Structure formats: structure tokens, C-alpha cells
Amino acid sequence: MADPSSYRPRPGQIPDSPGVYKFRDEHRRVIYVGKAKNLRQRLASYFQDLAGLHPRTRTMVTTAASVEWTVVSTEVEALQLEYSWIKEFDPRFNVKYRDDKSYPYLAVTLNEEFPRVQVMRGAKRKGVRYFGPYGHAWAIRETVDLMLRVFPVRTCSAGVFRNAERTGRPCLLGYIGKCSAPCVGRVTPQEHRELAEDFCDFMAGRTGTYIRRLEKDMTRAAEEMEYERAARLRDDAEALRRAMEKSAVVLADATDADLIAVAEDELEAAVQIFHVRGGRVRGQRGWVTDKVEAVDTAGLVEHALQQLYGEESGDSVPKEVLVPALPEDPDAVSQWLAGRRGSHVSLRVPQRGDKKDLMITVQRNAQQALGLHKTKRASDLTTRSRALEEIAEALGLDTAPLRVECFDISHLQGEDVVASMVVFEDGLARKSEYRRFQIKGFEGQDDVRSMHEVIGRRFKRYLQEKERTGEWEETPAPTGPVPAPDAPSAGTPLPGGAPGPQAAVEPREAVEPPEAVDPQDAPRGDSREDDGRPKRFAYPPQLVVVDGGQPQVAAAKRALDELGIDDIAVCGLAKRLEEVWLPDDDDPVVLPRSSEGLYLLQRIRDEAHRFAITYQRAKRAKRVRSSPLDDIAGLGETRKQALIKHFGSVKRLRQATIDEICEVPGIGRRTAESVAVALAGAAPSAPAVNTATGEIIEEDDGGSTP
């Protein structure tokens, strides 16, 4: 690891003009390329205190051994040179997008004497007109098959074409009218090229001209009583309409634009691009990348623009590029795009209307692409095994942690403080064993104290299970289920749902509701109690992960020590995810960026956060919607709604007499008395005040129904 001060240039050496810089490692390999409006200011930011740098930037500057730069005259030149160097040197710390698949294009080889329509993949060739990309090759072939009725362009390979020339007989498409058969001289090279150019014009979005021309010819043929020709022209026009329908109309003003959206997390980012030509979506593609440098959404957009248009020119660069965030220097990027196109290019963020709505769709596709990428990565058995082995090696564990439990605290400004426990077995989520906790040991916001309470409660239940099943002594754990004793242990539900001895004083743990558990995540082969319900806290994890740094880790370790548990490893995952904290260590464990172990820890932490915040929001919503009628025994939801509908609000219901309450259908006198007593004992809430005017708003605590 190099000390950045050892190769830091003297301040006077660095110019304050635009330029591009390269960091090299000790082997002279380029590891990072960047550009700047002011080289002096930008490079100075890399040589500050390491503690103030982003972890990825800190890793880069400590890996580098030297830095050099090239001065240019404008920001546009800097952008061009940066792209060229990234392509040339492939630096490891630069964001590089990779296609999540090889997209097929519809290509017309205008560089040949007899242009050919075909499916192409890979690098683009000079003199070839491309349309797309498409999601599937069969979609291209369907479109071409429809259009060959009107534009019978050659589609055969060079070998088939030469064989037809030699024999003087066209292929099958020539016989059925889907090829103009230039191989046997039915059309001249110039006539065939005009057909190919018309084909390209139609694919580029200029569709109305050809359909109107076919309809006019059809009408003229019908007037001249050439009904067979008129029918053929009618079918040709219908074929073109069907080809157009395969591309959905998304923008009514025949816009040519590319829409770019980004979905990202701490480690990875996915980019989706919709190519809109003539108001229709003509192609879609996506990229996924590791965030190897400290980059925000604007930086990801700039990298995407460089990769998308770096090799393009002319009409391949649209008139309008819509992005979720503008790059750091949007004017320079716009000028660079205009230079690639040869005319003005508008680079902006859509704010309203159809383009804003379409951008939301593109963003949704980007999020789905990132989720699918993560799912594929997590579902691979070899990858999961490697991730668990990397975690074990980094944390100094004897064996891979086959069961990992992660805990997270969630609250809203100190209210409705809850915690979550998620379980991953063999690297996969075990949702049937998720648990939720309410923090009741104290009031207010204290994540460290909350973590201590939750860890203590969870493993106190584990010790209770060991004691109940006879595993308290140092004996080998049984391999099968152990019959439950006659007397229920503390906190264990009795038949009929009654709580056990400690249920009244021990805060309650809640299992995730059945409807929130996917069918494939249902309990699989769990050891079960005699009543058929799965054990609750019987299985200990090999690793406990807490969401947080040193304080949270220390609190979790202290809770385990207080219970005498010393065979369960503990670690914390900091918010920035590159730092894994261990108890009693002053420095974190930094896993490599490409580590599958770090990726798995991130997934576990994110799942714990999702589960905790979902529970916290549900509790808050329930508290907001609570009513004094909720505590009345025997009063169900239907009769509560009937009371509110009859009186209009809880306030008016509180003022009603028992006889008036009995007038509500379904409410007997005993129930009416219970309602009156309950509402008389419930203190009305304090009146609300309009903070702008000071006016006291009339209380209507139940709300009126429409």
C-alpha cells in the first residue's frame, strides 16, 4: 500500500487549466483516468487526509504509485481524451458498463453493391445501417418478414447469392415475391439500392408516406377494376401497419430521443436505455456495472453517455437525450454529442408530460434489471459457497457460517422503535424464520441500547429452548425433534393461544405475517413442536450481523457475554458497506470490492433493513388509525363502521345516549352500554391547532365516512 504523499506533485507543477489525468500503479499500469476543468483543484482533492476520502477513492490513491496529466484547451477535448484513454487502458478503478446480454440489431449493408437485410450482433461496421437493438432475434425476423412484401430486399447470404447468379435461378423468396431477385437481373443494382433505402426510411420512422402511397395506389387500382392488384396493395399496407404495431407509440410528436435511467445501490448500478424513433420504441438495451469508483448518479450518466455514443456518429446520435440527472458539465457533454451527430443535441432531464412518464417506465426497467442481476448472482450455488468461504476467512471463523442472522433497528424520530431479525441459510433467505421485535425496555431513540436489548432477548429465548429440550448441559445436540415437556417454558404459548408465564412481562416477538411470505419460502423440513408449529428460537447462528459500526457491535457482543454465549461470531456492517467491524478491533476489515462475501453481507443487511422498516411503517399506520372503539370487546369491524356511519364521528358517538346507540342496526343494549362506558372513560384527544392562523380546529377524532 503506497503513501499518496510519496508521489504527490508539488502545487506549482499542476496547471489550473482543463485536462485529463492518469493514476498508475507500481507496475506502470493505468488504474484510473479522470478529467477536470481545473487540474490543480481536482488533483489536490485526492491528496487530502485519507480519513476524509471515500473508501473507494482511498483504495485507489493507496494503490497508485504515480500520477500524470495532459493539458487540453476545452472541456469537450477533455471528455474525448478521457473516453479514448478509458478504451485504451481499461483502468480497473473506472466504471465500465458491460452488456447484460449481446443485443441483436436489424442491419442493412448499404456498403455492398446489393444491400442485404440481416440480423447482426457485436461491434458495428462502417457503411452498415443499424436499427434496434431488439430484445430477441425472432422479433427482427418477424418484422422483416412483414416488410419484405412491400420492400423485397435481398436477405440471402453471399454464398446463396453467388450460387443463384451462377445457376440463373433465384431462391425460394424470389419465387414467392419476397425478394426482388437482383441475383438473376430482375432489378438493376440502382433499383435494388432504392428499395433498400426505402426500407431504411420506413424503419427510421418515416412510415406515413409509404402507407399513404399504398392506399392511393390501391384506390386507383380499384377504380380501374384491377381488383387482384388492389387486394395485394391492401395486404401490403396491412403488413406495414402490423410491422409498425410491433413498436409501441410512446410519444405523439414523432420524437427521436434516447431515454437513459439508472438504478443503483452501494456496490452496483444498472443502466437502461430506450431508443425512441418517430415516437416509437425502436430498441432497448441495458448495462450493469460495479461501482469501483466514488461516483454519483450524474457520474454514472456521463459514463453511460460516453459508452453509448463514443463510437457513434450521424443519426445514430438522436436529437434529444433524456437523463435522470445532468452530468457535472452538461454543456461540454452536449457539445461532444453535437460533434458526434453533426448538429445540435438537447441533453436534459424531463420534468412533465409524456416524456416524464416514459422516463418512469425506463427507470422501472432499470430497477428490475438490477434486481434480476442480483437474483441470478445470488442463486448460483458455487457463488454462494465462495461468498460464505470468503466471509469465514475474513472474519477468522473455523467454518463457513451456514446460518447467518442479521439485526436492524428502525424508528421515526424516536417513535415506534422496532427491530428485525432476518435469517439466511446457505446464502439464501429463510423468510419463515424472520422475527420482529418491539423495543419496550426504554423510551426514546438509542440504537445501541436497542441493539443490546434485541440481541439479549433473542438469545435468551435460545437458552430457554436449550434448557427445555435438555441441551443445557455440555452434551451433543440431538439430531431430531425432542418431545416438549408437559409444563410450558417461559414465554411459550399455551394451547388455545394463551401466553406462557413470562409473556406478560417479556416484550413480544412477532413472526412475519403469512401473506408476506412467498410460497417457495415456506418452512421446509423444520423440526417442529408436538402441536405442529415450528420451533421459534431453537437454532443458533454461526454468525450474527448487526447494522452499524463499532458501538452496535460492542452492544451485541456485550449482550452475548452477559448470557454466557461465546461460540457465536459477531460483526457489524457499516452503512458504506465496505467496512466490516469486529468486536474489540479498532480498525475495520475491508473486503475487496469484487468479493462475493461482501456482496452477500450487503444483501443480508438490505433485507434486514427492508423487514424492519416495513414493520415500523405498519405500526405507525396502525397507531394513526387507532380508535377508542378498538378496545371494546365483542365489537367487530362491521359494527364499528355502522356506528361511525350512523353518528358521523367518534365525537358525536361519545355524546350519544345509550338509547340513541341502540338505534343503530345490529347494536343491542348490552353492546351499547359497553360502547358508552368505553367512550366515557377514553379521554378525547387534544384539539388541533392551525399553526398558520392560530385557529383551534374542531375535533373530529373518528372521521366522517363518505
Side-chain angles (χ1 to χ4, degrees), residues 216-231:
K216 186 181 297 184
D217 292 344
M218 177 187 66
T219 303
R220 185 181 304 114
E223 291 174 351
E224 296 173 357
M225 293 186 290
E226 297 180 6
Y227 299 118
E228 291 184 1
R229 180 169 175 266

Side-chain angles (χ1 to χ4, degrees), residues 1-8 46-50 58 60-66:
M1 180 180 293
D3 183 1
S5 62
S6 64
Y7 63 89
R8 177 177 184 173
Y46 290 100
F47 296 101
Q48 57 179 291
D49 183 13
L50 290 178
R58 183 166 63 240
M60 188 274 291
V61 297
T62 54
T63 303
S66 64

Side-chain angles (χ1 to χ4, degrees), residues 178-189:
K178 288 193 173 183
C179 179
S180 57
C183 53
V184 296
R186 288 185 185 174
V187 294
T188 65

Side-chain angles (χ1 to χ4, degrees), residues 100-143:
D100 52 12
K101 52 184 160 182
S102 178
Y103 288 93
Y105 285 82
L106 171 59
V108 183
T109 58
L110 296 176
N111 57 347
E112 298 181 4
E113 181 183 8
F114 297 100
R116 174 190 175 192
V117 175
Q118 64 185 82
V119 177
M120 277 191 178
R121 299 176 185 265
K124 294 186 177 180
R125 306 174 188 175
K126 188 176 181 180
V128 178
R129 187 79 180 273
Y130 291 90
F131 302 96
Y134 288 78
H136 303 280
W138 55 261
I140 301 178
R141 296 187 179 98
E142 283 187 357
T143 300

